[in-house]
């Protein structure tokens, strides 16, 4: 079913999530998106939409042993299977664990090392079994934005910078990770929606950035502060191979560099 004006009709579950808000705020052509909270989902007819995207999650799913009652992706997929809509699931690079190859391709062995990675790997398998070619699974790199208060690398860094005037790292600051700014991730997701492509796709920035650089750029924008590293251990560096994504969509135009995003976030923290 097409929305009014011939636009692709999309339901986004988890409208208040960090990524959900970014997708809803992004410019888009030919796509009409209805955002709802997870609490309103039971009253929704998924068959009224061309594509259903889930960005809602239970925080316990990220840290506890798998429980299907906490698996909102599975719940949404089971609702979608009854109709004809295409389902888009947000997964994570953590399903790869400490991958041997860099960049990491989608067909790399899955060796998740934490509950979140293990839970997402299981959910991916269940969603694919339910929907087959009617689902797209996006494995996201480290998405970052202005997120004080969240239990993420950037959220903790911003809280510590504001409260204590420092960012403390428990690993080598030269370790490089695939960080993708929130607006770029939202643009990538929007580029994938009309394709309704079956299978799994990595979504990353295409390059890796040292965590210490991210921290120093935040401090630069904040106007003061120091970086402290309590360990020289090199761990958890990664870069996703986004060849499949770019072959399908092309790389969306980027308005700002990672450095500029970080400086802007630091400035926003200072003025908050």
């Amino acid at each position: 079913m097409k929305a009014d004006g011939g636009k692709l009709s999309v339901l986004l579950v988890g409208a208040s999530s960090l990524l959900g808000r970014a997708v809803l705020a992004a410019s888009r052509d030919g796509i009409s998106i209805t955002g709802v909270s997870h609490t309103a989902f039971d009253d929704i007819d998924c068959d009224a939409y061309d594509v259903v995207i889930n960005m809602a999650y239970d925080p316990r799913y990220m840290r506890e042993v798998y429980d299907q009652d906490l698996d909102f992706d599975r719940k949404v997929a089971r609702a979608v299977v009854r109709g004809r809509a295409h389902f888009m699931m947000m997964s994570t690079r953590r399903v790869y664990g400490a991958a041997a190859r860099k960049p990491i391709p989608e067909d790399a062995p899955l060796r998740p090392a934490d509950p979140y990675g293990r839970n997402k790997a299981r959910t991916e398998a269940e969603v694919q079994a339910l929907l087959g070619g009617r689902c797209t699974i996006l494995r996201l790199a480290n998405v970052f934005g202005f997120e004080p208060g969240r239990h993420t690398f950037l959220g903790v860094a911003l809280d510590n910078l504001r409260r204590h005037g420092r960012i403390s790292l428990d690993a080598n600051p030269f370790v490089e990770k695939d960080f993708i700014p929130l607006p770029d991730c939202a643009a990538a997701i929007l580029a994938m929606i009309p394709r309704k492509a079956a299978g799994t796709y990595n979504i990353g920035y295409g390059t890796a950035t040292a965590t210490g650089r991210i921290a120093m750029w935040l401090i630069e924008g904040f106007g003061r502060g120091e970086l402290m590293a309590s360990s020289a251990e090199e761990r958890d560096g990664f870069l996703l191979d986004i060849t499949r994504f770019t072959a399908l969509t092309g790389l969306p135009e980027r308005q700002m560099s990672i450095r500029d995003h970080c400086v802007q976030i630091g400035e926003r923290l200072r003025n908050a």
Side-chain angles (χ1 to χ4, degrees):
M1 181 181 296
K2 296 289 184 182
D4 292 342
K7 292 185 176 182
L8 197 70
S9 179
V10 177
L11 174 69
L12 191 156
V13 185
S16 63
S17 66
L18 184 73
L19 189 51
R21 295 195 305 270
V23 170
L24 290 169
S27 60
R28 52 189 181 268
D29 294 322
I31 302 175
S32 174
I33 302 181
T34 300
V36 299
S37 72
H38 70 282
T39 57
F41 177 71
D42 288 340
D43 299 323
I44 299 294
D45 177 13
C46 291
D47 209 30
Y49 298 90
D50 299 301
V51 178
V52 177
I53 304 173
N54 180 49
M55 294 181 179
Y57 65 94
D58 188 311
R60 293 171 294 175
Y61 174 90
M62 301 182 70
R63 61 179 184 266
E64 297 181 6
V65 174
Y66 181 83
D67 180 344
Q68 70 178 30
D69 290 337
L70 305 180
D71 189 347
F72 212 77
D73 288 309
R74 181 180 182 274
K75 178 179 180 178
V76 176
R78 287 176 66 85
V80 168
V81 76
R82 296 191 292 266
R84 57 169 193 80
H86 188 86
F87 178 56
M88 185 173 288
M89 171 186 164
M90 302 297 111
S91 189
T92 172
R93 61 93 179 179
R94 291 189 175 276
V95 298
Y96 296 116
R101 293 174 57 188
K102 294 180 185 179
I104 308 168
E106 288 88 350
D107 60 359
L110 303 188
R111 300 190 179 97
D114 60 16
Y116 186 45
R118 288 190 288 269
N119 289 347
K120 279 294 187 182
R122 176 165 177 172
T123 301
E124 284 187 14
E126 296 207 13
V127 166
Q128 288 177 320
L130 278 169
L131 292 168
R134 286 175 52 213
C135 70
T136 304
I137 295 173
L138 302 182
R139 292 175 179 160
L140 307 182
N142 284 12
V143 183
F144 74 92
F146 183 72
E147 48 189 294
R150 299 186 77 228
H151 296 293
T152 59
F153 169 77
L154 217 78
V156 172
L158 292 175
D159 285 341
N160 285 334
L161 184 58
R162 179 171 55 186
R163 294 172 183 171
H164 308 297
R166 72 174 68 93
I167 295 175
S168 300
L169 302 180
D170 62 357
N172 194 309
F174 296 103
V175 169
E176 295 183 332
K177 301 185 181 186
D178 192 339
F179 288 94
I180 180 169
L182 185 59
D184 292 304
C185 188
I189 291 168
L190 285 165
M192 288 294 296
I193 289 173
R195 271 81 178 180
K196 293 196 271 188
T200 303
Y201 292 80
N202 287 333
I203 301 294
Y205 197 70
T207 59
T209 308
T211 55
R213 287 189 179 276
I214 298 288
M216 290 306 297
W217 291 331
L218 294 173
I219 291 169
E220 179 184 346
F222 191 62
R224 63 184 185 279
E226 61 180 344
L227 171 63
M228 300 181 64
S230 59
S231 172
E233 181 184 1
E234 296 189 18
R235 67 173 187 271
D236 204 26
F238 77 98
L239 173 63
L240 297 183
D241 185 338
I242 58 171
T243 302
R244 292 193 72 212
F245 166 74
T246 54
L248 184 65
T249 68
L251 195 62
E253 182 179 354
R254 291 163 175 166
Q255 303 298 320
M256 297 171 62
S257 67
I258 286 184
R259 175 190 177 278
D260 288 343
H261 276 288
C262 291
V263 170
Q264 187 179 79
I265 289 168
E267 292 172 347
R268 184 174 174 185
L269 184 70
R270 182 184 65 207
N271 296 323

